[in-house]
């Protein structure tokens, strides 16, 4: 079962609640799994960077004006006003004309974010742009290394020996700004999400057991009902049989009944004639 991120998780990681959290959690659940960001460890790294870059999930636009990026050819800012127009936006603070252009191309509309840079301040696009950045820099590979591993990264001519969270921080930030905060957010996020992930693994079994118990109870009730009906029918049948006289009893009663006196029932013809003769003599 895929780990689900909630606004409460974000609040626990950040140490505060913000208005953006519900929408960000919703879009993370929809988009992150599409980029194979779906385990506690991967999310912990992803959210540690997001939490720092958005000032605890408070803003999706850089506080600075962006004027410091004016004329930065490495960011593609070749036109006047590009620094301010294409300042950091989204949960990883996408910055510069070149990066805005690339995101539009990936969306299938080349100048989408060039013409409307503020679209990256919407929760959906803010999460999507970060997922794209994560994918193109292969950051899941670094995220899945044990904490004790050391990863090599070239930075300003020097080869650094970094932990996974340090490696990802240097990649997202382009340096080590806020490194200690990012490491703290990662540790907190990993603890919170590991617990949530363990709970999500156990959840599917609970409804199944409840379903089995309910099914067993239903079958038991049906069996009891059926048994009660059979017992009721048997009692009725017994009562009916008890109310009827048995054949042996009927025959015995018939034998025991007194037979009519044949002499009383039928008088001989001779006796009848004698009676009649006596009657005439009296007359």
């Amino acid at each position: 079962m895929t780990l689900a991120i909630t606004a409460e998780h974000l609040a626990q990681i950040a140490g505060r609640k913000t208005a953006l959290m519900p929408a960000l959690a919703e879009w993370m659940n929809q988009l992150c799994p599409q980029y194979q960001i779906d385990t506690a460890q991967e999310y912990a790294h992803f959210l540690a960077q997001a939490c720092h870059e958005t000032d605890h999930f408070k803003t999706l636009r850089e506080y600075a004006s962006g004027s410091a990026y004016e004329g930065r050819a490495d960011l593609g800012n070749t036109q006047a006003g590009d620094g301010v127009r294409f300042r950091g936006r989204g949960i990883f603070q996408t910055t510069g004309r070149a990066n805005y252009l690339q995101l539009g191309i990936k969306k299938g509309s080349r100048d989408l974010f060039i013409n409307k840079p503020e679209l990256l301040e919407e929760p959906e696009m803010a999460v999507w742009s970060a997922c794209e950045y994560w994918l193109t820099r292969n950051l899941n590979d670094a995220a899945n290394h044990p904490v004790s591993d050391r990863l090599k990264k070239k930075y300003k001519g020097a080869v650094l020996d970094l932990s996974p969270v340090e490696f990802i921080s240097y990649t997202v930030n382009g340096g080590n700004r806020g490194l200690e905060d990012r490491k703290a957010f990662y540790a907190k996020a990993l603890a919170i999400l590991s617990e949530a992930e363990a709970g999500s693994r156990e959840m599917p079994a609970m409804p199944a057991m409840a379903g089995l118990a309910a099914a067993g109870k239903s079958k038991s009730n049906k069996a009891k009902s059926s048994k009660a009906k059979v017992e009721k029918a048997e009692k009725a049948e017994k009562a009916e049989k008890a109310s009827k006289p048995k054949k042996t009893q009927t025959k015995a009663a018939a034998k025991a009944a007194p037979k009519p006196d044949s002499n009383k029932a039928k008088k001989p013809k001779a006796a009848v004639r004698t009676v009649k003769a006596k009657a005439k003599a009296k007359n």
Side-chain angles (χ1 to χ4, degrees):
M1 183 176 179
T2 302
L3 175 63
I5 300 300
T6 67
E8 184 59 30
H9 291 151
L10 301 185
Q12 289 174 349
I13 295 166
R16 66 196 70 176
K17 291 183 178 180
T18 72
L20 284 172
M21 287 175 176
L24 289 176
E26 178 185 352
W27 285 109
M28 285 174 187
N29 288 324
Q30 290 193 44
L31 296 173
C32 287
Q34 296 178 27
Y35 290 82
Q36 298 187 59
I37 305 167
D38 53 20
T39 68
Q41 189 164 326
E42 291 161 356
Y43 267 124
H45 279 291
F46 184 86
L47 294 177
Q49 301 303 319
C51 190
H52 180 82
E53 294 290 338
T54 61
D55 186 18
H56 304 80
F57 303 109
K58 185 178 178 181
T59 182
L60 297 177
R61 184 178 66 191
E62 185 178 3
Y63 290 140
S65 68
S67 59
Y69 306 125
E70 193 69 19
R72 286 272 302 270
D74 59 321
L75 295 174
N77 292 340
T78 57
Q79 299 181 26
D82 279 356
V84 175
R85 184 172 178 77
F86 302 115
R87 60 176 157 169
R89 289 185 174 89
I91 62 175
F92 278 4
Q93 299 294 299
T94 300
T95 306
R97 173 182 284 272
N99 291 317
Y100 278 64
L101 179 64
Q102 285 301 312
L103 288 176
I105 292 170
K106 287 176 182 177
K107 268 295 182 187
S109 179
R110 184 180 183 278
D111 294 327
L112 177 63
F113 300 108
I114 296 296
N115 295 332
K116 294 182 178 180
E118 65 277 4
L119 286 176
L120 288 177
E121 296 176 37
E122 296 179 1
E124 178 185 0
M125 296 302 176
V127 174
W128 170 78
S129 61
C131 287
E132 283 289 338
Y133 186 92
W134 195 265
L135 177 68
T136 56
R137 273 70 176 183
N138 300 312
L139 293 180
N140 253 3
D141 291 345
N144 281 296
H145 275 272
V147 176
S148 58
D149 279 5
R150 310 305 293 178
L151 307 177
K152 302 292 185 181
K153 186 172 185 65
K154 192 80 172 279
Y155 177 72
K156 293 185 176 181
V159 178
L160 305 180
D161 193 29
L162 305 172
S163 69
V165 67
E166 290 171 340
F167 181 95
I168 293 171
S169 297
Y170 268 82
T171 303
V172 172
N173 176 247
N176 59 3
R177 181 176 296 177
L179 182 58
E180 294 308 311
D181 278 348
R182 295 170 200 264
K183 291 164 75 172
F185 288 140
Y186 168 70
K188 190 185 293 187
L190 185 61
I192 292 166
L193 298 179
S194 293
E195 184 178 350
E197 187 173 58
S200 68
R201 288 188 188 128
E202 295 172 4
M203 285 300 290
M206 294 174 66
M209 291 301 292
L212 288 173
K217 188 175 181 180
S218 177
K219 287 181 180 179
S220 176
N221 290 338
K222 286 181 180 179
K224 287 179 181 179
S225 177
S226 177
K227 185 178 179 181
K229 287 180 181 179
V230 170
E231 289 176 350
K232 187 176 180 181
E234 287 177 349
K235 286 181 181 180
E237 186 178 354
K238 286 179 181 179
E240 186 178 357
K241 286 180 179 180
S243 66
K244 291 181 180 180
K246 295 181 180 179
K247 289 182 179 180
T248 54
Q249 291 176 339
T250 304
K251 287 180 180 180
K255 287 180 181 181
K259 294 182 179 180
D261 191 343
S262 57
N263 293 328
K264 291 180 180 180
K266 293 182 181 180
K267 292 182 179 180
K269 291 182 179 180
V272 173
R273 284 197 294 268
T274 302
V275 172
K276 286 182 178 180
K278 286 181 178 182
K280 285 180 180 181
K282 286 181 180 181
N283 293 331

